[in-house]
Amino acid sequence: MKKMTNVQEPTAQDVAAVDLTEVRSLDLGGPSVGLDLPSDAPDGAAVAKALVELYPQKALEKRSRHILVNDPDSIAPIEANTRSIPGIITQRGCCYAGCKGVVLGPITDVIHIVHGPVGCSYYAWMTRRNQADVPAGEGNFLNYAFTTDMTENEIIFGGEKKLAQAIREAYELFHPKAIAVFATCPVGLIGDDVHAVAKQMRKELGINVFGFSCEGYKGVSQSAGHHIANNGLFEHVVGTEELPAELKVNPRRVNLLGEYNIGGDAFEIERILADCGIELVSTFSGNAQYSEIARSQDANLNLIMCHRSISYMAEMMETKYGIPWIKISFIGAEATAKSLRKIARYFDDPDLIARVEVVIAREMAELGPQLAEVKPRLEGKPVMLYVGGSRAHHYQQLFADMGMPVVAAGYEFAHRDDYEGTDVTGSIVTDSDSKNIQELKVERDPVAYTARKTDEELAALEIDGLSLSQYEGMMADMAKGALVVDDISHHELEQLIEQYKPAVVCSGIKDKYVIEKMGVPCKQLHNYDYGGPYAGFRGAVNFYLEIDRMVNANVWRFVTPPWNVPAKTAS
Ligand code: CFM
């Protein structure tokens, strides 16, 4: 739990003035409707066909199952979380990236040792802009890269001794609270047992040392690494410490799952929650410290931001400790307001409900003039998004604030439930790649489990439009006729830009400059192009200004896109 300074508490007078009946009647259920496509947008079905027509027959058939024209009233199944076709340039990353880089890496006071060749460690060293604000005197190892520097010698004779020595050395130098060990591809190939070494070192050093078998080749993308990370954190960290009594006074205690503080997003969310009087026990894992996660079982509600990377944790915590979860998103001013209202409705506390309204009114009044200034320059301009496993969805809401319709979107590595909603989870067929990843058997804890709400209270919340343990998915929020493309290839992205001529594409570094050479600005939504925060209310303003600057810059007029370059005649 962070010590917050400068908390702007609503005044008692403002809180008393809120009309609670009106707030309680607000509809918080259901998806938001995607903005209609521009009238001159090309026909989705024709575009979908054109995307794949250059492929050989087998690839064409495979890729076609990952592409569909959206109909929010009748969500069709899309193929996702299956192997990319060899030779197609995909944007995906590896299992180790998802485990070490994404879920565990942001925890500030844990030493993350990469057991593998030095390149793997270098790859994960500060390449993700997860920021942290660590209190003076407390451990912060984010700026370091720890590696066992595996060489041919260990590949032939085994690397367990070197790993034990690296853990010892890191401990002697820094005395961290805990050490996590990450296995890279060669470790799995030669069979080093990182878990046995971790166990041995736990005994020797008297601190928590735990390992992750997150070899890069496991699964089909970084998504496998998320799952492995969730399992490890759940088994070795969550529930190992008690929340001190003085922190249990406020019952409005939440965990924020799947928020990694890219570009400072978590700072803005922490500010808003504190102003509303909601205690944040732990974030998984942006700006988080080990002990916060270790005590997170004492929260009364789990908020899921990125469903893809952390849904496993929410499910396991619900089963073992009785903490319900709701899907929220703090990307977009309207989405942030709706999420705060959902939290308040869950706790069903009139004071909280009113405080949240005061904060929303204040923040909306602050950002209103900024939005009003940029909106006329942006409204109606089409957007495309291809990002990870949740942002392609979340950022649609931020664009909706500005009146910008999404013509096409997709994830790199999400599963069907992230597209179609958690209702389809039961019908997802597991294949050999997904079976590779362990499912923990979790049971209700006889001591630590407490039902946060009675069955009647939960049923009443459902009637009130607050869906628990449910995520609607991206497609329900997209317009009819918009194109959905999973695990997009480089070729398909180029085709889409030519067909839709979007005002901006949101993507990552792998294709940023290819897109910009086509005369279309590209906003990176993984690392935010050195900008941010974009979450919450103040973050939304940063994004409005940034998109206005990019979309309306004159420079794009001077770029001739490839489709306008006259074909060279053979000489
Ligand atoms: Fe979740 Fe993420 Fe994302 Fe993700 Fe990622 Fe990321 Fe992402 Mo890059 S955890 S799924 S594995 S929101 S690193 S902070 S931006 S691909 S859309």
Side-chain angles (χ1 to χ4, degrees), residues 97-98 101-103 128 222-223 226 258-262 305-310 387-392 394 411-413 525-528:
V102 172
V103 179
R128 188 157 170 267
Q222 52 266 67
S223 169
H226 301 148
E259 161 50 53
Y260 301 97
N261 203 19
I262 309 300
M305 182 86 178
C306 166
H307 174 267
R308 181 63 273 128
S309 64
I310 207 98
V387 213
S390 79
R391 293 189 170 174
H394 291 162
Y411 298 122
E412 292 166 42
F413 51 77
L525 281 190
H526 298 266
N527 73 349
Y528 295 170

Side-chain angles (χ1 to χ4, degrees), residues 419-465:
Y419 286 103
E420 301 167 49
T422 38
D423 286 354
V424 302
T425 310
S427 62
I428 296 176
V429 189
T430 46
D431 58 11
S432 54
D433 291 310
S434 36
K435 277 188 198 139
N436 236 338
I437 314 302
Q438 191 194 4
E439 284 285 345
L440 294 185
K441 202 171 168 304
V442 182
E443 282 169 1
R444 178 179 290 202
D445 189 297
V447 182
Y449 182 97
T450 35
R452 275 28 183 211
K453 298 258 179 198
T454 63
D455 288 347
E456 293 76 44
E457 284 169 335
L458 292 175
L461 285 174
E462 289 281 347
I463 294 167
D464 261 358

